[in-house]
Amino acid sequence: MNQESTEPLADARRWELFLQGDERAFEQLYHQYYHLLFNYGYRLSADKELIREGIQHLFVKLWTNRGGLSATPHVKQYLFKAFRHHMLSLLEQHRRETFVPEDEVSLVQDSREEKIIRLETAWQNSRKVQEMLSTLTPRQKEAIHLRFFGNLSYEEIASVMDMQVGGTYKLIYRALERLRESTPIFFMIGCWIGL
């Protein structure tokens, strides 16, 4: 049995142990999914502190409410969906709290550290791939991220994004078609070299 097929079983077992109050199993789930959730959160918001806060709140809420939760064989899907709903709620709350009337808006300078991080990130990511992804709608970007960076199945993506599985196939298909149409030469080269 390969590792990919046993991982959901191990996660389901950790989840059951967590539901029974096993702190070690809970910590393992937290450490296993922190970076995946953080990367996904970055697709929803560029505010890294808000994303960290969202992950912390989600796991505190899970621990606090574990008595009312049930076992699931789809831990990854469950966490992504719960995190998405939690982040959307946090973003709405943050938007209401930080609303500034247009006449009071002022330009804010980024700290030097934030600029360095942004430059390093831009360097690591291919400019052309970013350019291609910018042609997608926000939902297409989210679906592409979940499929290719989060490694979720179409069924899991449908659950996370609250849509039908058929709609997920269409959304990703249209996103890939749009990428191919916007930059056909780069897309063909990318497919050829395995990007």
Side-chain angles (χ1 to χ4, degrees):
M1 203 180 264
N2 66 25
Q3 183 180 3
E4 191 172 306
S5 65
T6 61
E7 186 176 314
L9 295 174
D11 284 352
R13 181 65 185 137
R14 276 190 207 101
W15 185 262
E16 287 176 16
L17 291 171
F18 144 66
L19 293 179
Q20 296 168 10
D22 186 323
E23 290 181 25
R24 186 166 181 255
F26 179 70
E27 288 175 16
Q28 289 173 341
L29 287 169
Y30 176 83
H31 291 295
Q32 180 177 348
Y33 285 101
Y34 181 88
H35 292 293
L36 288 171
L37 292 173
F38 185 87
N39 288 337
Y40 177 56
Y42 201 68
R43 301 296 175 220
L44 301 172
S45 170
D47 186 338
K48 293 178 182 179
E49 285 304 312
L50 188 66
I51 297 166
R52 287 184 189 102
E53 179 183 332
I55 295 170
Q56 293 295 325
H57 283 179
L58 172 66
F59 277 89
V60 166
K61 188 175 177 182
L62 288 172
W63 181 259
T64 305
N65 299 322
R66 70 187 179 279
L69 301 176
S70 56
T72 178
H74 309 287
V75 175
K76 185 177 188 178
Q77 176 184 342
Y78 180 91
L79 289 174
F80 269 83
K81 186 171 185 169
F83 181 62
R84 180 179 193 264
H85 287 293
H86 190 68
M87 275 301 294
L88 293 176
S89 174
L90 272 179
L91 288 167
E92 178 60 25
Q93 178 184 348
H94 185 68
R95 185 191 63 76
R96 281 184 301 217
E97 290 173 358
T98 58
F99 175 74
V100 179
E102 284 186 41
D103 57 338
E104 295 179 25
V105 174
S106 63
L107 296 176
V108 178
Q109 292 293 322
D110 288 328
S111 72
R112 180 182 168 118
E113 181 179 312
E114 290 172 332
K115 287 180 183 178
I116 291 170
I117 291 170
R118 195 171 20 263
L119 286 173
E120 286 177 11
T121 302
W123 177 256
Q124 292 172 355
N125 296 325
S126 166
R127 190 176 77 219
K128 192 63 177 176
V129 171
Q130 293 301 326
E131 198 175 293
M132 288 170 54
L133 291 176
S134 72
T135 65
L136 302 178
T137 67
R139 283 188 65 82
Q140 287 173 332
K141 285 182 193 175
E142 183 177 357
I144 291 290
H145 179 80
L146 289 170
R147 179 70 182 123
F148 298 104
F149 298 100
N151 202 27
L152 269 65
S153 69
Y154 287 95
E155 292 78 13
E156 292 170 328
I157 294 167
S159 176
V160 169
M161 295 182 69
D162 292 324
M163 56 190 306
Q164 298 294 319
V165 175
T168 305
Y169 280 101
K170 287 179 188 174
L171 185 65
I172 292 175
Y173 174 79
R174 287 183 181 146
L176 293 174
E177 278 297 301
R178 187 177 222 172
L179 290 172
R180 187 184 60 76
E181 289 169 2
S182 66
T183 52
I185 294 171
F186 185 77
F187 191 81
M188 288 187 314
I189 293 170
C191 290
W192 181 64
I193 63 174
L195 289 178

